[in-house]
Amino acid sequence: MNRVYVIGGANVDISARSYQPLREYDSNPGKVSYSFGGVAHNIAANMAGYGLPVEYITAFSTDNWGDLLQDECINRGISIEHSQIIPEEGTSLYLAVVEPDGEMKVAIADMEILSRLDIERLADVLSRLDHDDLLVIDTNLTEVQISRIIELSHCRIYADPISIAKSVRIMDHLDRLEMLKPNNYEAEIMSGLKLEEEKDYRKVLDWFIEQGSGSIVISMGARGVIGRKGEQAYHLSNADIEIVNTTGAGDAFMAGYIYGQYHQHSFLDSLRYALAASAIAIRSSDTVSSEISEELLKQFYEKIKKESVVTEIK
C-alpha cells in the first residue's frame, strides 16, 4: 500500500516560557500559549507537511478539545479514519515549562485516554500492512498495546521511546524494529552504557544492533546525531541554526528520517533529512512549524549536506 501509519498520543500542548532564567518555588513572569501536539501527532503533522500519505491512529475525546484536535488533523491533510472516539475520557494534556533559550525545563503529561485505545479493533487494519508500509509508534502507548500492535503488524516498524520512564515499554521488542530513535539519555538508560566521549559511540550503537534492531539513531541535542545501520555508523554534527524552541525538534527529526526512508534514500541521507526537519522545527515558536513544506525540507537538506560534518564511527 506504501503508506505511513502513526499510532500514539494526541495532546493539547500548553507551553509556559519564562522571560528570565526559571526560579524554583516562585512565580516566573512569562508567556503561556497552547497548541495541538503529542509525539505521534507531531510526527504525523510534520510528515503530512512534507507530502507523505499519513494514516494517524489515536484516541479522541468528545470534549471541545477533542473536536478541535480532530479538525486540526483533517485540516493538515492527516487521515484519522481508524482513530477511535472515547467519550468517557477527557482530552490528554501536556504542560511544558520552558527556559528563555527555548530549552524545556520540566513537563507533565496527562494522557490516560490513550490507554483506552482498543488495539483489537485495529487488528484487520494492522494485519494488512506489508513491507511497503511504514508504521511509527510512540511509547505513550502501554506495554500491552505495543506488544499487540507489533504482534499484528508485518511491516517496517519505527519507534520513539519518548522518555526515560516510558522507554522500558519497547525494550522487549527491539528485534522487531526497523529503527529506534532514542535521545542521548534514553539510549544510556536502555543500554546501561554511558555516552560521554567519542569512544563510547560505537559501544552504544553496537549494543542496540546486537539486540536485533535494524538500525539505531540517537539524537544528541547540540552534539548532533549518531546512528548505525548494518556496517554503516556515522556521527553528524548540526548546522548553524538559530534556536527559538526545541520542544518539537525530536518529533520533527523522526518525521524527516521517515521521509528519507519512504523515498528510499540511503541511511546517511535519511539522517540528513532528519537533521533538516529538526532544524526547521527549532526555528519556530510552534511545536510543529507553520512553515513546513517538502520544498523547505529539501532546502534545509541541502544546507545540512553542506554544513554538517559527517564522521564515520569505527
Side-chain angles (χ1 to χ4, degrees):
M1 290 183 286
N2 201 24
R3 295 187 68 82
V4 182
Y5 289 75
V6 183
I7 308 178
N11 305 339
V12 174
D13 286 337
I14 302 172
S15 176
R17 183 168 182 167
S18 176
Y19 292 142
Q20 300 294 329
L22 283 163
R23 298 186 303 273
E24 294 184 351
Y25 315 112
D26 198 3
S27 176
N28 290 264
K31 177 71 173 178
V32 178
S33 58
Y34 72 85
S35 61
F36 301 116
V39 170
H41 165 276
N42 296 343
I43 293 171
N46 277 282
M47 289 194 297
Y50 300 141
L52 298 183
V54 181
E55 296 279 351
Y56 178 38
I57 301 174
T58 191
F60 292 109
S61 175
T62 54
D63 59 21
N64 290 338
W65 285 121
D67 292 340
L68 290 171
L69 267 170
Q70 291 183 67
D71 290 343
E72 191 260 359
C73 288
I74 293 168
N75 290 338
R76 287 185 180 274
I78 301 169
S79 172
I80 54 173
E81 176 185 357
H82 303 296
S83 288
Q84 297 171 13
I85 307 298
I86 314 292
E88 302 84 7
E89 297 286 349
T91 295
S92 62
L93 301 175
Y94 176 85
L95 171 64
V97 180
V98 181
E99 293 277 12
D101 63 1
E103 287 290 340
M104 184 183 71
K105 184 71 172 181
V106 69
I108 296 176
D110 175 5
M111 302 189 68
E112 183 62 29
I113 189 172
L114 188 61
S115 68
R116 302 288 299 276
L117 186 71
D118 186 350
I119 305 304
E120 296 309 316
R121 287 174 54 191
L122 302 171
D124 184 57
V125 174
L126 295 176
S127 64
R128 284 184 280 129
L129 304 186
D130 58 32
H131 191 71
D132 289 334
D133 299 305
L134 293 77
L135 171 61
V136 184
I137 58 175
D138 72 27
T139 55
N140 283 316
L141 297 158
T142 67
E143 288 186 58
V144 173
Q145 288 172 322
I146 290 170
S147 294
R148 188 59 176 147
I149 289 168
I150 290 175
E151 180 182 354
L152 289 165
S153 304
H154 304 286
C155 59
R156 291 169 287 170
I157 302 174
Y158 301 74
D160 190 322
I162 290 185
S163 69
I164 291 172
K166 294 180 180 180
S167 64
V168 296
R169 299 178 183 178
I170 200 70
M171 287 292 290
D172 290 341
H173 307 287
L174 297 182
D175 61 340
R176 285 293 315 278
L177 300 181
E178 175 73 17
M179 177 267 213
L180 177 71
K181 187 209 73 68
N183 63 25
N184 185 75
Y185 305 109
E186 294 156 0
E188 288 182 335
I189 292 297
M190 295 177 78
S191 67
L193 300 169
K194 285 293 184 182
L195 259 175
E196 296 175 340
E197 303 176 25
E198 286 193 18
K199 64 182 179 64
D200 301 326
Y201 291 3
R202 186 75 195 206
K203 293 179 183 178
V204 175
L205 295 176
D206 289 352
W207 184 89
F208 282 99
I209 298 299
E210 288 165 5
Q211 309 314 304
S213 297
S215 57
I216 174 69
V217 176
I218 304 173
S219 55
M220 302 178 69
R223 295 163 67 189
V225 58
I226 60 173
R228 179 184 170 190
K229 182 175 184 179
E231 294 307 310
Q232 304 172 75
Y234 305 105
H235 172 234
L236 281 70
S237 68
N238 292 322
D240 184 19
I241 305 291
E242 179 185 0
I243 298 175
V244 176
N245 179 14
T246 64
T247 304
D251 307 334
F253 183 98
M254 176 65 100
Y257 185 85
I258 296 295
Y259 176 92
Q261 294 285 284
Y262 180 86
H263 289 291
Q264 300 182 356
H265 289 289
S266 68
F267 178 58
L268 178 56
D269 274 345
S270 292
L271 293 176
R272 287 173 171 142
Y273 275 111
L275 283 177
S278 181
I280 293 170
I282 66 175
R283 295 168 67 245
S284 173
S285 60
D286 300 320
T287 305
V288 177
S289 172
S290 59
E291 298 180 344
I292 56 174
S293 67
E294 187 173 15
E295 180 181 358
L296 185 63
L297 180 65
K298 290 179 178 179
Q299 290 175 11
F300 270 79
Y301 163 82
E302 293 298 333
K303 179 178 177 66
I304 295 296
K305 191 172 182 179
K306 180 179 179 181
E307 297 183 11
S308 176
V309 177
V310 179
T311 305
E312 189 172 356
I313 300 175
K314 302 293 187 179

